[in-house]
Amino acid sequence: MQCIRRQPKRTVSQENILLEQSRRVAALNGIRLGLKDDKDLKFLLKGSQLLKVKSSSWRKERFYKLQEDCKTIWQESKKVLRSPESQIFSIEDIRDVRSGHKTEGMEKYAKDVPEYRCFSIIFKDQRKNLDLIASSEDDANHWIAGLGKIIAHSNSMNQKQKLQHWIHTCLRKADKNKDNKMSLKELKDFLKEVNIEVDDYHAKKIFQHCDKSKTEALEDDEIEEFYKILTERKEIDSIFQTYSDPEGFMSCQNLVRFLYEIQQEEDAVVAAPALIQRYEPNERAKRGNAMTKDGFLMYLLSDEGNIFNPSHRKVYQDMTQPLSHYLVSSSHNTYLMEDQITGPSSTEAYIRALTKGCRCVELDCWDGPNSEPVIYHGYTLTSKILFSDVIKAIKNYAFKTSPYPVIISLENHCSVDQQKVMAQHMTTILQDMLLVAPVDGNKSQFPSPEQLKGKILVKGKKLSRQEDPINGNNNLEAEDVSDEDEAAEIEDESVKTKVEQKGKSDTLKLAKELSDTVVYCKSVHFEGFDDPNHPRAFYEMSSFSESKALKLAQESGTSFIHHNIRHLSRIYPAGWRTDSSNYSPVDLWNVGCQIVALNFQTAGTEMDVYQGRFQDNGFSGYVLKPEFLRDEQTKFNPKSTTEGTWGTKKKLLIKIISGQQLPKVNKSKNSIVDPKVTIEIHGVQQDNNKKQTKVIENNGFSPNWNEEFTFDIEIPALALVRFVVEDFDMSTKNDFIGQYTLPFTSLKQGYRHIHLLTKNGDPYSSSTLFVYINIQDCD
């Protein structure tokens, strides 16, 4: 049996010294956050008892406290054998803090408690919400305001401040005996913490170089010297030296030259002085209208030094074209949090999709108890939620991320009576948001996203004698319409059995009240592409399974493009995707399909590409299709791009230079990543490509590759570029570290940083790639 050596008990004076040190560290971190002497921060650092709510029978008191790093929250746990790491969560993992009863859990289990004492922490990943009740209104306000301030101030820190905060936190963690000194062993532990494997010889060499006092321990200025060695960016130093004078200053004139020649910035003369004022920390340099190495690094790490064109972070495209001329960010079976067969349904899934920029959400509606329609995946064991609760969530979150229209895609399986309830809920809850009449008398084509700002449209079936929703309705109460039942397509034995037992009918009786909510998005079965002599009404739209749509794209690409100029097309995943996996949206965007619906809850390449496409145009959820996908005379076919001119072909050169602070994949102390980078091009078939760097062993903190790659891009307007960083493993599948995807047309040239995203699409605080980009016209 292995003996565990007990740590000697500290004296009262030792405990007091450590407590005072902890207070000083917390105060310093508060200053770094710009929250010096903030009363809410002080309250969180002291901590308080809160009631954690899990169900109607589980409501228990737990102690919560902000750690001295001002970045993590410690939560008390009564679980046996719970690891210390599992009792901590990071502020960076929080998406939102909601006051009152604004989650399903609070709505169900805390209605007996006044709203002013309740709040919920919403996490970025798939973690469950943390529903909490404070003992008083003041305590709740401290938590809500304090967390809000830390999140806002952390987000506004520049990359250098984030790096400094992170490294000092890791240094503090490595300082096991809390004496504010660093022994050689603690230095080696620290290096592992920040993801670098250094052999004993090199660790000792760094240690001896910094240990000027020869005390066998680093402290104060010696630790700062170690910090400088660690964060040195030699690759940036060499670029800076090319444009700076012997005294270490880059004049405004030389910065203009760098911006114009290397960064391809057309407004370099105007931009240079502004960049100096914004990023230069040295007051002497700023007064002399020059930049130091630190200012240059801060610029390259800023939004202006980002690979993504900052002007594309705002809506910059023409938003006055017909709705059918845009790609629309769209979600499939939006209510599901996990798989398609047994997973939970939740209003939270709608909130997450809408805050990710989604503009088309899906509601599968079935008869529920007490005459209240419910939403779930029919014939399956997925849980049920009230239709009215979903409509409330849509109302509250529809326009928080984007002002442009939201489409509610209804799959209706309800009786006529409950359809009337659905119509009533939409009318009374959404009120003026619900579009119930044509815009500005527009009867020949779709209105534009600009005209539909702040409006919610319903996509669904329409009574046949109301064939023309644009020119008024008649008084028919209800009649049979063709049924659309995507759930019945699921390739699952239990589902197939239930469909057979139900004796599925091809028709459904539709209530006039529900029919009246449909104006511009009338669902019809696809009967083939338009006969030019008998064109279908523009507001008629069809839904296609991914396999049917891909077949049409392959066999009749140009006809599909023409169809999608005038009509909306919605695509949904194949019935065999019961695990909520996704298909690539790219081939369907290439033929102009607008509503390509993906399972937003499932991370992976497809969702990365999706979010990459829609971060363009101000993350508005609407991206204007290229001109050749909107031109009624177009002959474009993505299968054979040689016939015609679809924009100038480009040669893309990418140099992967280095990486910074890549996260640990395996949390084990001794695990260090072996990173490699893959560059992928997603576009028309001729452009699809993939190239990768060599593997850098045992260095996730500052790997250097210095490798160049070139790609020929036939159709730049349809291409996306994805950068993926993985931890190489010889014996098993590589582990995902981070990625970033953007449209080719949003690439900035020159030396740029790529700010990596997690597998769920959220930004890491300081994990980056440093690259060089050059784009030339092909001869």
Side-chain angles (χ1 to χ4, degrees), residues 174-187:
D175 182 12
K176 296 289 184 232
N177 60 2
K178 304 296 180 218
D179 62 355
N180 282 342
K181 296 177 184 176
M182 187 180 275
S183 66
L184 178 58
K185 183 185 182 306
E186 286 173 337
L187 178 132

Side-chain angles (χ1 to χ4, degrees), residues 303 306-317 329 356-357 589 608-623 720-721 739-743 746 754-755 757 761:
D303 211 32
N306 199 310
I307 192 170
F308 183 80
N309 189 333
S311 68
H312 291 189
R313 291 198 196 284
K314 300 191 283 284
V315 173
Y316 68 96
Q317 294 176 345
S329 179
K356 279 187 172 181
W589 287 335
D608 293 343
V609 168
Y610 207 84
Q611 291 297 85
R613 169 57 74 202
F614 285 106
Q615 72 166 314
D616 194 9
N617 202 30
F619 200 51
S620 63
Y622 284 85
V623 171
L720 294 110
V721 187
Q739 70 84 32
Y740 189 78
T741 309
L742 74 166
S746 294
I754 297 171
H755 295 260
L757 305 177

Side-chain angles (χ1 to χ4, degrees), residues 625-652:
K625 294 193 275 189
E627 206 274 333
F628 55 80
L629 293 181
R630 295 180 276 122
D631 175 12
E632 293 190 357
Q633 307 305 314
T634 190
K635 292 186 170 60
F636 179 72
N637 185 338
K639 269 187 76 181
S640 72
T641 56
T642 49
E643 298 164 26
T645 53
W646 321 112
T648 310
K649 296 175 189 175
K650 303 287 182 183
K651 189 172 281 296
L652 170 64

Side-chain angles (χ1 to χ4, degrees), residues 198-209:
V198 178
D199 61 41
D200 287 353
Y201 172 77
H202 280 97
K204 198 167 183 181
K205 201 172 166 188
I206 295 169
F207 186 82
Q208 286 171 343
H209 172 82

Side-chain angles (χ1 to χ4, degrees), residues 344-393:
S345 305
S346 171
T347 55
E348 196 59 50
Y350 285 91
I351 295 168
R352 287 183 183 183
L354 289 165
T355 51
K356 279 187 172 181
C358 179
R359 299 287 86 193
C360 179
V361 293
E362 187 177 356
L363 285 67
D364 285 0
C365 311
W366 299 77
D367 280 356
N370 308 316
S371 300
E372 282 293 340
V374 293
I375 290 173
Y376 83 112
H377 205 192
Y379 318 110
T380 70
L381 299 173
T382 57
S383 63
K384 296 169 182 171
I385 50 178
L386 287 174
F387 177 83
S388 58
D389 286 347
V390 170
I391 298 300
K392 283 175 197 164

